[in-house]
Amino acid sequence: MKLYFSPGACSLSPHIVLREAGLSFDLEQVDLTKKKTKSGADFLRINPKGQVPVLALDDGDILTEGPVIVQYIADQAPAAKLIPPAGTRERYHLQEWLNFLTSEVHKSFAPLFKPNTPDAYKEIVKENLAGRFDFLNESLEGRSYLTGETFTVADAYCFTLLNWAHFAKIDLGRWPNLKAYVERVAARPKVREAMKAEGLLKAA
Ligand SMILES: N[C@@H](CCC(=O)N[C@@H](CS)C(=O)NCC(=O)O)C(=O)O
């Protein structure tokens, strides 16, 4: 398998899941502005949507869309228990989280990183995100991870998105459970490995 990624982007989520699952994989960085991969390939021929993450499978198939990719990876390593088995009620609840994160949090961040977004609109976006963070903060009351005491693919995704708060100048200190959650996930050895591999943490 090969994961196409851009440092710190939403592709960090499947990158974390690959490491937590203990699977072997290759990484290839993508320049999202030039749509070129590190080895010089035209990224638009790999994913015509021009977006990371992309998981290239060994049989030549290509999977896109982060919430789908993390489910595929976790299903390849059931012993790692990163996702409840398909068909169970718990799996649907996990998918509820993935869908919430992708539609209500991930895409809400996007205008904050675009240079042409008017400042007044950025403030509205931040207010909307604050409402989502209130919900996440309440959901994490008395639990270590989104679904309880077990780290799942939803946490890999949620952590990746919350990591952007810093770059969007949003202080997570306003949401104590969220702040503690980010620190908890960041301390996981496989998460640290992924972040180091993407150049987001200095090597120890
Ligand atoms: N719907 C896609 C969105 C992926 C996405 O937004 N990727 C961003 C990085 S976080 C990207 O590649 N942006 C470059 C672009 O859209 O040109 C998913 O959930 O995987």
Side-chain angles (χ1 to χ4, degrees):
M1 281 187 280
K2 185 198 272 189
L3 178 71
Y4 290 90
F5 80 103
S6 173
C10 52
S11 43
L12 177 62
S13 162
H15 185 181
I16 289 171
V17 175
L18 280 163
R19 288 179 191 269
E20 291 275 355
L23 297 171
S24 65
F25 62 96
D26 294 322
L27 280 174
E28 183 157 357
Q29 193 167 332
V30 178
D31 182 330
L32 288 172
T33 311
K34 296 186 179 146
K35 306 293 179 201
K36 284 270 179 211
T37 76
K38 192 95 172 177
S39 63
D42 176 359
F43 185 54
L44 290 174
R45 295 192 66 162
I46 298 165
N47 180 10
K49 291 181 272 193
Q51 293 179 315
V52 290
V54 171
L55 189 68
L57 304 182
D58 294 342
D59 64 3
D61 198 8
I62 293 282
L63 274 181
T64 63
E65 301 298 323
V68 172
I69 292 173
V70 292
Q71 293 186 68
Y72 175 82
I73 298 168
D75 282 336
Q76 305 312 302
K81 295 197 184 308
L82 293 164
I83 200 161
T88 60
R89 180 74 59 86
E90 289 75 18
R91 177 67 163 247
Y92 292 110
H93 282 304
L94 193 281
Q95 287 172 332
E96 266 187 291
W97 275 118
L98 291 176
N99 203 67
F100 172 77
L101 292 167
T102 200
S103 58
E104 305 297 336
V105 183
H106 184 168
K107 285 298 149 180
S108 296
F109 265 106
L112 298 178
F113 299 129
K114 296 218 163 84
N116 56 354
T117 304
D119 285 346
Y121 184 58
K122 282 188 182 168
E123 288 313 308
I124 297 171
V125 166
K126 283 187 187 178
E127 269 170 41
N128 288 342
L129 269 174
R132 305 307 178 207
F133 288 0
D134 287 344
F135 171 71
L136 283 169
N137 193 62
E138 280 162 30
S139 303
L140 284 164
E141 183 65 37
R143 52 173 60 183
S144 300
Y145 298 110
L146 289 175
T147 59
E149 293 312 303
T150 305
F151 177 88
T152 70
V153 298
D155 297 298
Y157 194 18
C158 190
F159 169 78
T160 296
L161 303 181
L162 292 175
N163 221 23
W164 297 345
H166 171 71
F167 302 102
K169 298 192 171 53
I170 299 172
D171 180 7
L172 286 185
R174 187 172 148 194
W175 299 277
N177 293 337
L178 276 194
K179 193 165 188 294
Y181 170 78
V182 168
E183 285 164 6
R184 185 176 309 121
V185 177
R188 293 177 68 86
K190 298 294 173 188
V191 173
R192 290 182 62 80
E193 257 180 33
M195 293 185 79
K196 270 186 205 160
E198 294 198 10
L200 306 172
L201 282 183
K202 290 197 175 68

